[in-house]
Every structure is written in structure tokens, then in C-alpha cells.
Amino acid sequence: PERLRFRWRLAGFDEGWVDGGTRREASYTNLPHGEYRFEVQARLGADTWRASPAGGRGAVVVRLAPRPWETL
């Protein structure tokens, strides 16, 4: 497990991949409302990056509704 590495990105927010190292959780604060695609990849040692099986393609769609003060 100590050789397993992760990287992720929140498409629509992150400009590139975030290197998570051995961490198995990601957190974001102050995201504006909208739709995002959370993508995760993993690799073992120096192996190539592989998409996770989450959602069948290594991604999960996240939809954030506007806060009450952001609506009319």
C-alpha cells in the first residue's frame, strides 16, 4: 500500500492533476455552483497511471446547487 500513489482533478475547477501522493481523500472549499467531473487515477510504484473503476471510467459527476443568496 505504501507504493500506491493517487492523483485527481476536478474538471471545471482544477487546471491540472493534483498529486495526492498516498492520500486517499480529496477536499475542496469555496467551489462555485455548477457541474464538475471528479477524476481519479492511481499507480503502483513507477507503473503508468490508470483510471479508477469509479463510475466505470474513473470519474464522478458532482453538481453543486447555487446558495440561496446566489439565486434571484
Side-chain angles (χ1 to χ4, degrees), residues 19-42:
D19 183 5
T22 59
R23 289 185 302 153
R24 295 173 185 246
E25 62 183 57
S27 62
Y28 289 87
T29 59
N30 299 321
L31 288 173
H33 63 85
E35 185 172 300
Y36 303 95
R37 185 175 158 96
F38 184 71
E39 302 171 331
V40 179
Q41 292 185 338

Side-chain angles (χ1 to χ4, degrees), residues 4-64:
L4 191 58
R5 298 289 184 257
F6 298 94
R7 70 180 183 175
W8 54 78
R9 67 179 168 194
L10 192 59
F13 184 76
D14 290 325
E15 291 186 21
W17 289 98
V18 176
D19 183 5
T22 59
R23 289 185 302 153
R24 295 173 185 246
E25 62 183 57
S27 62
Y28 289 87
T29 59
N30 299 321
L31 288 173
H33 63 85
E35 185 172 300
Y36 303 95
R37 185 175 158 96
F38 184 71
E39 302 171 331
V40 179
Q41 292 185 338
R43 74 176 182 187
L44 185 60
D47 200 4
T48 58
W49 289 106
R50 298 176 187 265
S52 74
R57 293 199 174 100
V60 175
V61 174
V62 177
R63 290 181 187 92
L64 297 176

